[in-house]
Amino acid sequence: MNRRVFTEKSLKAAMSYGLVSSLIQTQAIGKHILPITNHWSIELNDFCHDLRKSTIGVMEWQQKVEDLFDKVPLQDLLNFIDFDQLIRGFNYPDLGVNTKKVTFPKLDGLPERTAFVKKIFGMKKDRAIIPHGHANMSSAHLVLKGGMRLRHYDNLRVEDNTMLIKPTIDKTIAAGESSSISDEKDNVHWFIAETETAFTFDVIMLDLDDKPYDIYNLDIQAKEDPNNGSFRVPILDVDAALKKYGKESHH
């Protein structure tokens, strides 16, 4: 090898070493590796496991999951759950919403069976996740696509096939925004799609405290006995609720 070739090879090696050193110093390599070793899905599963074991309360769980959703780049989450594949040929019902189960890819530190149920919910414009409340469950909902009108209410009590509720949230939410429910906070929710299609990613915790979960479909428009900002609404069977609330009428 002549001196010129040797010098060129030495310079290239030095430049390569310098580039790697620079990348390490700026943590660019570390940033690339972090999502694999410290992925949001692992943290999410840890939160859900803690709630299942009652080492955190439901309101703390709500805050932790919503904070996590705020930090996760939406495109990363869409790629991770293979959103484009999930909605390929998606069946949009004329009333209400359709769902698909989500499967996470294999990842070190993430159990194959997560501590929570994971689904996407999808619907066409003016269709709704009908107003309903819950018992013995918590869930969080991240908008993946589109925009929705979201209303929340606190469940004050259930009696005589009615629920006493108090409004807490009424706003439009878009892709990247989230909400959550529990027995203690914002228990009732109601989503109406305001764009051509709309989707949420849902994290669902059922049968908390070893009690069977329940869902109460509510006739919000039939509210009565308003008092101090709260009111009483009838509980409906799912067919009646879908017929009245599954598709918003603009007439």
Side-chain angles (χ1 to χ4, degrees):
M1 184 184 299
N2 62 39
R3 182 173 294 179
R4 182 179 63 80
V5 173
F6 176 80
T7 302
E8 286 178 357
K9 287 182 177 290
S10 298
L11 284 172
K12 287 179 181 179
M15 289 174 67
S16 297
Y17 175 81
L19 177 60
V20 170
S21 177
S22 176
L23 284 169
I24 292 172
Q25 288 173 5
T26 60
Q27 295 186 324
I29 289 178
K31 288 178 181 176
H32 179 70
I33 293 172
L34 269 179
I36 305 302
T37 59
N38 190 25
H39 196 269
W40 61 265
S41 62
I42 298 172
E43 193 171 1
L44 176 60
N45 192 66
D46 287 345
F47 295 156
C48 293
H49 184 267
D50 289 344
L51 178 61
R52 181 70 63 194
K53 297 298 183 182
S54 300
T55 55
I56 61 173
V58 289
M59 290 177 65
E60 184 180 359
W61 179 86
Q62 287 178 262
Q63 189 63 57
K64 284 178 176 290
V65 175
E66 289 194 45
D67 287 346
L68 180 63
F69 281 163
D70 284 343
K71 292 188 294 184
V72 177
L74 181 60
Q75 191 58 52
D76 287 358
L77 192 149
L78 293 171
N79 293 341
F80 188 71
I81 67 171
D82 201 358
F83 177 70
D84 289 341
Q85 178 62 35
L86 279 173
I87 66 171
R88 191 163 293 150
F90 193 86
N91 177 30
Y92 299 94
D94 189 53
L95 291 178
V97 64
N98 197 8
T99 69
K100 272 194 175 182
K101 291 182 179 179
V102 172
T103 301
F104 283 170
K106 291 183 178 180
L107 195 66
D108 287 345
L110 180 68
E112 185 174 345
R113 184 172 181 178
T114 57
F116 57 95
V117 176
K118 44 196 181 295
K119 295 182 178 182
I120 61 166
F121 284 61
M123 52 190 168
K124 295 190 294 187
K125 186 175 183 181
D126 298 330
R127 276 60 174 184
I129 298 174
I130 57 179
H132 63 282
H134 308 79
N136 308 317
M137 65 173 284
S138 293
S139 58
H141 317 269
L142 174 68
V143 181
L144 299 177
K145 179 182 178 182
M148 307 176 185
R149 182 179 179 186
L150 169 66
R151 280 167 278 196
H152 271 283
Y153 308 80
D154 276 337
N155 170 6
L156 303 181
R157 63 180 177 270
V158 175
E159 56 188 17
D160 300 326
N161 207 39
T162 66
M163 184 182 287
L164 187 66
I165 61 176
K166 186 172 185 177
T168 56
I169 297 171
D170 187 347
K171 64 181 182 179
T172 296
I173 58 173
E177 297 182 274
S178 65
S179 68
S180 63
I181 65 97
S182 73
D183 281 332
E184 295 183 14
K185 184 175 183 290
D186 297 331
N187 179 272
V188 175
H189 55 181
W190 178 11
F191 296 80
I192 299 175
E194 295 186 331
T195 51
E196 183 179 356
T197 60
F199 286 87
T200 63
F201 170 65
D202 286 38
V203 173
I204 305 167
M205 297 290 293
L206 302 173
D207 301 336
L208 294 177
D209 297 324
D210 295 321
K211 299 175 183 176
Y213 79 93
D214 205 351
I215 294 177
Y216 306 92
N217 300 298
L218 303 175
D219 193 352
I220 301 284
Q221 293 173 2
K223 61 186 180 182
E224 55 187 32
D225 299 332
N227 183 29
N228 296 325
S230 64
F231 48 83
R232 188 175 304 280
V233 296
I235 295 172
L236 299 175
D237 65 66
V238 66
D239 290 336
L242 269 173
K243 184 176 180 180
K244 186 167 185 176
Y245 293 97
K247 181 178 180 180
E248 186 173 64
S249 172
H250 296 282
H251 298 303

